[in-house]
Amino acid sequence: IIVFLSLAAVAIAFTLARNLTKPLLLITRAAEQMARGEFPEGIVLRSAGNGFGVTILAGCNGVEASLILIAGMLAFPASWRRKVIGIGLGLLTVQGLNLVRIISLFYLGQWRADVFQFAHLYLWQSLIMLDVLVVWLLWVRWLPAARPR
């Protein structure tokens, strides 16, 4: 049983690596190009198999959600050290989830366009903001309790 589970885990890992490598490389390349300011109108990720593509425009990059998180952490009374740690970890979390969002929308759009539209316009918008709220709440719980004056 252990050998079977180990082989199954390796097979799953190879399948995930093969299916996620190309979108991750495309998104990484797009991020590098955006950092250099080469594509101000957006980055297009297109499937070679069926031609479906997604364009990553301003508003799709998680910047607005990150700014809301930063504003919430800066406005809350905490030490600067804890604010910097919270902002750093929070930005990683928000951008990581946004990467998952882009990849999932890329594959979802190839599957069903109507579901893609719903997920893009409603579901993922809500989930990204929920992520900001959850990260902020976890950060607030991590802060030491205020001392009575």
Side-chain angles (χ1 to χ4, degrees):
I1 293 176
I2 293 174
V3 173
F4 173 75
L5 291 176
S6 299
L7 291 174
V10 169
I12 290 170
F14 278 117
T15 302
L16 286 175
R18 183 175 55 244
N19 290 330
L20 293 179
T21 300
K22 187 172 182 176
L24 287 173
L25 289 174
L26 289 172
I27 290 170
T28 303
R29 187 177 313 132
E32 292 171 1
Q33 291 169 337
M34 286 173 62
R36 291 190 302 253
E38 293 180 5
F39 291 97
E41 71 279 354
I43 307 295
V44 178
L45 302 176
R46 188 165 308 282
S47 170
N50 61 10
F52 176 81
V54 294
T55 305
I56 305 171
L57 299 169
C60 301
N61 52 17
V63 171
E64 290 86 357
S66 297
L67 290 174
I68 292 169
L69 179 68
I70 291 169
M73 289 183 174
L74 290 177
F76 200 81
S79 69
W80 280 104
R81 179 179 175 275
R82 296 215 180 229
K83 287 181 182 186
V84 168
I85 291 170
I87 289 171
L89 293 175
L91 290 178
L92 285 174
T93 304
V94 170
Q95 293 304 320
L97 184 63
N98 195 55
L99 186 61
V100 169
R101 171 185 162 266
I102 292 168
I103 292 170
S104 72
L105 288 172
F106 180 73
Y107 283 114
L108 191 61
Q110 295 178 62
W111 176 57
R112 288 196 41 199
D114 57 331
V115 176
F116 168 84
Q117 287 298 328
F118 175 79
H120 178 250
L121 296 175
Y122 304 107
L123 181 66
W124 271 112
Q125 297 289 341
S126 303
L127 289 176
I128 292 291
M129 287 304 156
L130 182 63
D131 177 49
V132 168
L133 177 64
V134 168
V135 167
W136 186 81
L137 289 171
L138 289 172
W139 175 75
V140 168
R141 283 192 64 139
W142 173 66
L143 294 174
R147 294 183 216 137
R149 293 182 182 193

